[in-house]
C-alpha cells in the first residue's frame, strides 16, 4: 500500500507502547511516513532492525528515534500515545504550529490546558512487550476521534484524513465524532 499517503506532513507517534505501536503500524501499513519517538533504547534498536509487530497481523518496518533527539517540525502531526505523567516533557518540545492529537488513558490538567483541538480515545486494549515494539490486541474495541473545541476546517480535514487512512486497515472500527468531550 506504499504511495497512498494522504497526510502530507511529518507524522510522529510519541510512545512505542501498546497504543503507539498500533497507531504507527496502521499508518505505516497504508503508506504514511511515520517516525516513532521512544525513550527505551532497547525498543528503538529492536524496532529499527525488525520493525513493529501486531500479533496475528504481521510486521512493518519502522523508523524509531530517541525522545531526547526528537525535534519535530512546526507543521508536524504528533500523536501523543504515552502515559500522562510524561506529558510535561513532551509538551515542551512541541512547536506552536504543530498539531497535537493525544490518544491517552487518564486526565492531565496540563494537557487539558494546552490548545490542542482534538483527541482520540481507544476502547480496545493493546499489550506491548517491555523492550520490543511487539504488541497484541487483547480486547477488541473502537477508536473514537474528534475535535474537543470548535473545530476549524483544517482540524476536520486532518481528522477525516487520519480516520480514512486507519479505516483502510480494518483492525478496529473508527468513529469520527462531532465533539470528543
Amino acid at each position: 500500500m506504499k504511495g497512498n499517503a494522504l497526510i502530507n506532513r511529518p507524522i510522529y507517534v510519541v510512545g512505542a507502547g501498546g497504543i503507539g505501536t498500533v497507531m504507527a503500524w496502521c499508518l505505516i501499513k497504508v503508506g504514511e511516513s511515520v517516525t516513532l519517538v521512544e525513550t527505551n533504547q532497547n525498543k528503538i534498536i529492536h524496532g529499527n532492525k525488525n520493525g513493529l509487530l501486531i500479533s496475528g497481523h504481521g510486521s512493518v518496518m519502522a523508523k524509531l528515534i530517541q525522545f531526547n533527539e526528537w525535534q519535530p517540525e512546526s507543521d508536524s502531526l504528533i500523536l501523543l500515545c504515552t502515559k500522562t505523567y510524561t506529558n510535561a516533557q513532551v509538551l515542551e518540545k512541541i512547536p506552536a504550529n504543530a498539531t497535537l492529537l493525544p490518544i491517552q488513558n487518564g486526565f492531565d490538567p496540563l494537557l487539558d490546558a494546552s490548545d490542542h483541538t482534538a483527541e482520540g480515545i481507544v476502547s480496545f486494549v493493546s499489550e506491548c512487550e517491555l523492550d520490543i515494539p511487539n504488541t497484541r490486541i487483547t480486547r477488541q474495541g473502537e477508536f473514537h476521534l474528534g475535535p474537543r473545541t470548535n473545530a476549524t476546517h483544517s482540524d476536520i480535514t486532518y481528522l477525516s484524513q487520519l480516520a480514512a487512512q486507519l479505516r483502510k486497515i480494518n483492525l478496529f472500527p473508527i468513529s469520527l465524532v462531532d465533539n470528543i468531550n
Side-chain angles (χ1 to χ4, degrees):
M1 289 189 154
K2 289 287 184 193
N4 294 325
L6 279 178
I7 304 167
N8 293 315
R9 58 177 159 164
I11 302 172
Y12 294 99
V13 175
V14 182
I19 301 304
T21 297
V22 168
M23 291 297 154
W25 184 93
C26 289
L27 290 169
I28 291 167
K29 192 85 171 165
V30 297
E32 296 293 345
S33 178
V34 177
T35 301
L36 200 52
V37 181
E38 176 58 44
T39 58
N40 182 326
Q41 191 62 31
N42 291 330
K43 272 190 181 180
I44 294 168
I45 292 168
H46 188 276
N48 283 326
K49 181 178 179 186
N50 301 299
L52 310 177
L53 173 77
I54 298 179
S55 183
H57 298 281
S59 62
V60 295
M61 292 311 296
K63 178 183 178 185
L64 286 82
I65 63 170
Q66 180 58 244
F67 176 78
N68 293 335
E69 297 170 5
W70 177 48
Q71 296 180 341
E73 296 88 339
S74 63
D75 63 338
S76 300
L77 172 57
I78 300 166
L79 279 60
L80 178 58
C81 303
T82 60
K83 303 291 184 200
T84 58
Y85 59 80
T86 64
N87 285 348
Q89 298 105 329
V90 175
L91 292 174
E92 286 176 6
K93 294 188 113 182
I94 297 178
N97 291 335
T99 302
L100 175 64
L101 179 68
I103 308 170
Q104 296 181 304
N105 296 325
F107 175 78
D108 176 16
L110 178 66
L111 182 62
D112 191 52
S114 76
D115 62 355
H116 67 284
T117 59
E119 290 186 10
I121 300 170
V122 296
S123 62
F124 63 84
V125 176
S126 180
E127 177 182 75
C128 195
E129 295 185 40
L130 181 62
D131 283 333
I132 56 177
N134 293 355
T135 192
R136 64 190 181 99
I137 296 177
T138 58
R139 187 184 76 203
Q140 294 297 315
E142 295 183 37
F143 179 42
H144 301 269
L145 181 64
R148 63 188 287 262
T149 60
N150 293 332
T152 66
H153 176 72
S154 177
D155 294 328
I156 299 302
T157 299
Y158 98 81
L159 291 170
S160 298
Q161 290 171 339
L162 180 60
Q165 289 296 66
L166 293 171
R167 283 186 181 119
K168 290 177 183 177
I169 296 298
N170 202 26
L171 192 59
F172 42 81
I174 311 293
S175 296
L176 191 55
V177 299
D178 293 334
N179 187 327
I180 200 75
N181 294 324

